[in-house]
Amino acid sequence: MKLFLSLVSKTKPPFLSLRVMQTWSLVSISVLLAVLVRWGVSLNSYSGAGKPPMFGDYEAQRHWQEVTYNLPVQQWYFNTSDNDLNYWGLDYPPLTAYHSWLCAYVANILNPDWVELHRSRGYESPAHKLFMRTTVLVTDVLIYIPAVVLYCLYLTDGSAKRRVSILLSMLLYPGLILIDYGHFQYNGVSLGFALWGVLALGLGWNSLGSLAFSLALNYKQMELYHALPFFCYLLGKCIKAGLIGRGFVLLVKITATVLVTFGLCWLPFLPDPSQVLQVVRRIFPVARGLFEDKVANTWCSLNALIKIRSILTSDSQLYLSLAFTLLAALPSSIRLLMKPTFWNFKLALVNSSLAFFLFSYQVHEKSILLAALPVCLLLNEFPLMCVWFLQASTFSMLPLFLKDGLLVPYTVTFLGFPFLTVYLLSALEDCSEDELKLGTSGKLFPWIPKIYLACIMKWKFYISMALMAVLSVLSVVMDPPPHLPDLFPVLVSTTAFMHFLGVFLHFSIVQFMEPPRKKSRKKNN
């Protein structure tokens, strides 16, 4: 409420002006369209529908509701006769478990059969599907969508039309919609909390930003992808303010906020250290190994040429991924620590999340959403690069979407998103050296005439879109050779990996250059 009132106060005196009312009308239409698209995708199949014995991620979310509602907190993460951890055992932090319990509480009121212990396993019915889909939409409407709206309106430069265009592009990002409403997960909760943290820090509310990001971490441990930038940005601000004085006070406030938030989230487990250790073991399952399906990261792509699994032991794979992840993530984080500006913070979020996705241990294909969120925050400054990346990130999850029967929504969103965003953001007009921020500190590529760079980028974009479209079609209509059963998933993941690596290198270079001057787009508050 404090955040909302403060933001509203910033719009005075023209809060009731015709121009502002028109802007909010466009915002309302954009949000309504985003909700309708989400609901349309939710009408399709979902992960594991009618496929015993594990059924899929839909059943995982339902089963967590069953476990948290019927068992005491102390048994949620332990293997017992009533909680078989081999059958979708809880492997997310406590806030996810509390959310599951809340959903289960409502489910039990509507129909106790949905969460009945043991007997509800694999439960599938139209009414239950409607309930589960609604829970995802409710969390988006309460957490993710408001954060997107406020970020676009108050932390994005440009005209009202430009801000609404950015808003619509973020809300219609296909990757998140297809995963949460097709595959079925609640990524909008953790990403929404993280975005609230970015929003608060952008407005100078450091404690509130720390609180929001702590909630994100306590909902999904993969938010560690964003942890280094948050830590370095806040520590850098404390150092800049002076650690003997205002900086020290700020550091104490932030530390206290984080400790209290974590303490409250973990409170039921703190009296017994074995409970805490078990939760940690569940949320960091290093025993699973380095690889998770065909993911568009370094290790899966490299494994197609060099059989890392056969050459290195599990421990060696763990240490190798840790070393490369730190080497890739630390430069941008150190840069942020030395220059704690909001511009560097957004770039560091992109670079850190991509470093973790490309090099870290036990990466899921869905983890690319953690890089997609900060990329969305740069849509205004890098429209072409960001649209390009968001399209590639959706494409990278194609094998998962086909497995879940999401061919139709994937096709519609894959074709519609780039056309809409390129038109709204004039992306192909903003691909010169200046727009790409590659010429702000002298010429980075002196051998490429400046006049040709925009043309080269456009053709690379066209070729990339065509390649992703062709591989999508081949994955659907062709059977792979018998001796290469994973041919198309490997081609998809390797192609996406090359895109992600290119974006990572681009934004890493940009972060070490001088920040761009403000564009002369007219602002309409």
Side-chain angles (χ1 to χ4, degrees), residues 83-99:
N83 184 23
D84 181 7
L85 293 183
N86 291 320
Y87 183 80
W88 299 120
L90 259 170
D91 53 5
Y92 284 128
L95 205 57
T96 291
Y98 304 149
H99 178 216

Side-chain angles (χ1 to χ4, degrees), residues 43-317:
L43 298 177
N44 289 268
S45 182
Y46 52 80
S47 172
K51 296 178 181 178
M54 297 300 288
F55 295 97
D57 272 30
Y58 177 92
E59 168 63 9
Q61 304 293 337
R62 189 218 59 80
H63 180 64
W64 293 348
Q65 295 175 19
E66 169 196 347
V67 168
T68 54
Y69 186 78
N70 291 285
L71 301 181
V73 176
Q74 291 73 22
Q75 294 184 24
W76 287 357
Y77 292 91
F78 279 87
N79 193 62
T80 65
S81 57
D82 290 327
N83 184 23
D84 181 7
L85 293 183
N86 291 320
Y87 183 80
W88 299 120
L90 259 170
D91 53 5
Y92 284 128
L95 205 57
T96 291
Y98 304 149
H99 178 216
S100 296
W101 179 88
L102 181 62
C103 292
Y105 181 82
V106 178
N108 187 67
I109 294 175
L110 297 175
N111 188 341
D113 292 343
W114 294 349
V115 290
E116 186 178 359
L117 191 62
H118 300 309
R119 297 185 63 181
S120 62
R121 181 173 292 193
Y123 193 99
E124 294 177 326
S125 73
H128 184 253
K129 178 184 176 182
L130 176 63
F131 166 74
M132 294 289 280
R133 297 302 197 190
T134 303
T135 61
V136 182
L137 186 60
V138 168
T139 56
D140 263 8
V141 170
L142 293 178
I143 300 175
Y144 181 73
I145 292 179
V148 173
V149 171
L150 294 178
Y151 175 85
C152 292
L153 292 184
Y154 295 97
L155 290 181
T156 301
D157 293 329
S159 66
K161 179 182 177 182
R162 181 73 176 185
R163 297 179 188 190
V164 174
S165 297
I166 299 293
L167 167 65
L168 189 58
S169 300
M170 288 184 66
L171 290 180
L172 293 182
Y173 165 54
L176 179 59
I177 297 174
L178 291 172
I179 288 295
D180 276 14
Y181 292 86
H183 180 72
F184 198 86
Q185 286 192 338
Y186 295 94
N187 291 288
V189 179
S190 57
L191 295 177
F193 280 136
L195 186 51
W196 278 107
V198 172
L199 177 65
L201 295 186
L203 296 170
W205 301 332
N206 301 306
S207 295
L208 283 176
S210 304
L211 170 63
F213 184 66
S214 296
L215 292 176
L217 265 176
N218 279 285
Y219 193 88
K220 281 199 173 182
Q221 64 273 30
M222 286 81 78
E223 279 296 330
L224 285 170
Y225 283 31
H226 302 147
L228 271 176
F230 270 89
F231 174 79
C232 292
Y233 181 62
L234 290 169
L235 181 59
K237 292 185 72 172
C238 294
I239 295 173
K240 189 175 181 179
L243 288 180
I244 304 176
R246 289 190 302 113
F248 178 75
V249 174
L250 177 59
L251 181 61
V252 171
K253 287 181 179 179
I254 293 171
T255 304
T257 300
V258 172
L259 291 177
V260 170
T261 305
F262 269 79
L264 290 175
C265 289
W266 288 70
L267 188 60
F269 308 97
L270 292 180
D272 186 356
S274 64
Q275 290 275 337
V276 176
L277 290 175
Q278 177 64 8
V279 177
V280 172
R281 278 194 291 265
R282 290 295 301 165
I283 65 180
F284 295 110
V286 295
R288 290 183 183 178
L290 181 63
F291 300 91
E292 178 75 15
D293 293 328
K294 301 296 183 294
V295 181
N297 70 348
T298 302
W299 310 121
C300 290
S301 301
L302 188 61
N303 193 67
L305 301 175
I306 304 172
K307 300 304 177 184
I308 300 175
R309 274 182 226 213
S310 304
I311 297 174
L312 300 177
T313 64
S314 297
D315 289 342
S316 298
Q317 294 173 23

Side-chain angles (χ1 to χ4, degrees), residues 445-505:
F445 305 110
W447 60 88
I448 300 179
K450 195 170 183 177
I451 192 174
Y452 294 136
L453 183 59
C455 182
I456 292 172
M457 292 301 297
K458 288 179 182 179
W459 276 106
K460 286 177 65 177
F461 176 75
Y462 294 143
I463 293 171
S464 171
M465 294 296 108
L467 177 60
M468 288 189 283
V470 168
L471 285 177
S472 297
V473 172
L474 293 178
S475 298
V476 175
V477 302
M478 284 190 65
D479 293 326
H483 62 288
L484 295 172
D486 296 326
L487 175 62
F488 293 123
V490 170
L491 288 176
V492 167
S493 63
T494 304
T495 302
F497 162 72
M498 298 302 294
H499 284 78
F500 300 156
L501 184 61
V503 171
F504 173 66
L505 293 175

